[in-house]
Structures are given as C-alpha cells and as structure tokens.
Amino acid sequence: MAEVRLKKELTELLKRLAPQIEEGLKYGVPHIVGEIRNNNGQLEVNATVSIFESSHHFLRLTSSGELLFIYPAEDSHPYRLLLDIWRFLEGKKPGSTVLEPGTVIKGDLKESLRKHGYEILWMNIQPTAEGEMVGVWARKGDVRYNLTFKKVGREEFLLVELSRV
C-alpha cells in the first residue's frame, strides 16, 4: 500500500517538474534531485531539477529512514521517468546505462545502442588512417545525439565523442 502511494506521489511530482525538465533539456542534462523520507509512518517525497552541462550523475543514499537520490532525466515524460527512477531506486537499473566517452561497447552496435534507450536515425562507417570510425545520429527521448565510435576489435567499439545536437 505504501509503495502504491509513494509511486503516485512521485508521479505527481514528476508531472509538476516536467516543464522544468523540458526547459533544462535545452541547456544540458536535467537531473531529478530527490528525497523520500519516512516521517513517523508518513512518507514525504520532495524533488527538484538541477542542470549539469554535459555530465550524468547517479546517486542513491539511504540513511535512517531517508532515501536521497540524483537521477538524470533524459526524457520529460513523467511516466517513463517514473519507471526509470523506480528501477534505479530498487537497484535494478544501474547508472552505467549512460554512455560517456571512453565507454566500450561489445557486440552489435545498433542493438547495444537500442538497449541503452537510443533510437538510431543514421549510421555511417568511415575508414580512416586510425582504423574504422562509426558515426551515429540517434535520439533518446526528445534529445538528439551525435556519437562517434572507433572500432577497436571485432564487434568492439570505443565511444570517442558524444554530443547533443
């Protein structure tokens, strides 16, 4: 019962924060900074939006009846965001789902990007003096990205550059 009420309160809070998240997507990576507190059997949920220029931060701390968290909001849709945050708070969705330069992807690149939540718009393989480079245009939620990978092995790709478009 408490879990249902908590999800409902968190959903309502995310609905109220959606315009701030949408605005934040124009300038950087919006993050939900939240607190869930058990105050004498009553759950209190508070959250705000903070913007980081280009980095993604994940934090989940539990201390004496409080759960504090930071989660990047790549999508302003409150229900999708609720599912992502809830899985993260349960420990089922680690922070490593975010791609950053230096990340190595093994296996099929298209499928791996889809698993990370990216919709592939276009891909191009370009041979260079340093080896093969793969350029990808992708979308995650309402944000478009330009990703550049270097092929470092058989079905192994190193993310060299990731930029928002």
Side-chain angles (χ1 to χ4, degrees), residues 40-59:
N40 297 325
Q42 293 291 335
L43 293 177
E44 295 177 11
V45 181
N46 296 303
T48 188
V49 177
S50 290
I51 311 297
F52 291 87
E53 185 175 338
S54 62
S55 57
H56 295 76
H57 302 278
F58 295 86
L59 178 67

Side-chain angles (χ1 to χ4, degrees), residues 81-130:
L81 189 54
L82 171 71
L83 291 175
D84 287 344
I85 289 173
W86 197 261
R87 286 194 311 254
F88 173 70
L89 294 177
E90 289 180 324
K92 294 179 182 174
K93 184 175 185 175
S96 63
T97 60
V98 172
L99 294 178
E100 293 181 346
T103 302
V104 175
I105 292 181
K106 296 180 182 181
D108 183 73
L109 184 59
K110 280 185 182 180
E111 187 58 33
S112 293
L113 289 172
R114 283 190 186 110
K115 286 180 181 176
H116 279 86
Y118 292 91
E119 176 188 347
I120 308 302
L121 304 173
W122 177 81
M123 285 182 81
N124 182 38
I125 299 172
Q126 181 70 37
T128 67
E130 299 173 3

